[in-house]
Amino acid sequence: MEINCIKKVKVNAKTISIHTKISDRFQFQILDQDGEILLDQEDGYVPEIMPGQHYGDYIILDIDLDTGFIKNWKKIEPSLIEELIKKEM
């Protein structure tokens, strides 16, 4: 017999997954240890340093609800940052 019944079950929420379309409005800055701007990018496209298959238009972040840390963030190689800064100079 099949019945319609709502049953409350306790679960542990662990991650919030955010997928946001930027619509060519992405802006970011890279700052040095003193808070001085090394790069102020305003071209509207998501840079390759961002995680996920973003195709230049999406931000995809998986946030750990316990720690607040971005789970899918990978360490960025210094050469990628240097490349970004050089492109804008």
Side-chain angles (χ1 to χ4, degrees):
M1 175 188 308
E2 186 174 307
I3 61 171
N4 292 320
C5 180
I6 297 174
K7 179 179 171 183
K8 291 185 179 182
V9 178
K10 191 173 188 175
V11 297
N12 290 321
K14 298 301 286 176
T15 303
I16 183 168
S17 189
I18 300 170
H19 294 238
T20 304
K21 180 153 176 63
I22 298 304
S23 301
D24 303 329
R25 294 183 185 156
F26 189 82
Q27 178 180 357
F28 72 100
Q29 295 178 329
I30 297 175
L31 309 175
D32 69 9
Q33 68 277 5
D34 299 319
E36 298 294 320
I37 298 171
L38 298 173
L39 173 65
D40 188 5
Q41 178 120 9
E42 297 183 20
D43 74 0
Y45 292 100
V46 177
E48 291 302 315
I49 61 173
M50 296 297 290
Q53 296 295 324
H54 52 74
Y55 307 105
D57 289 326
Y58 299 89
I59 293 180
I60 302 167
L61 301 174
D62 296 331
I63 313 293
D64 184 299
L65 291 174
D66 291 328
T67 65
F69 292 124
I70 301 170
K71 294 170 66 170
N72 62 331
W73 191 266
K74 304 292 185 230
K75 181 179 176 187
I76 301 170
E77 293 299 320
S79 60
L80 291 175
I81 300 297
E82 291 168 0
E83 200 174 297
L84 281 171
I85 293 170
K86 284 180 187 175
K87 267 195 334 190
E88 295 300 311
M89 296 180 106

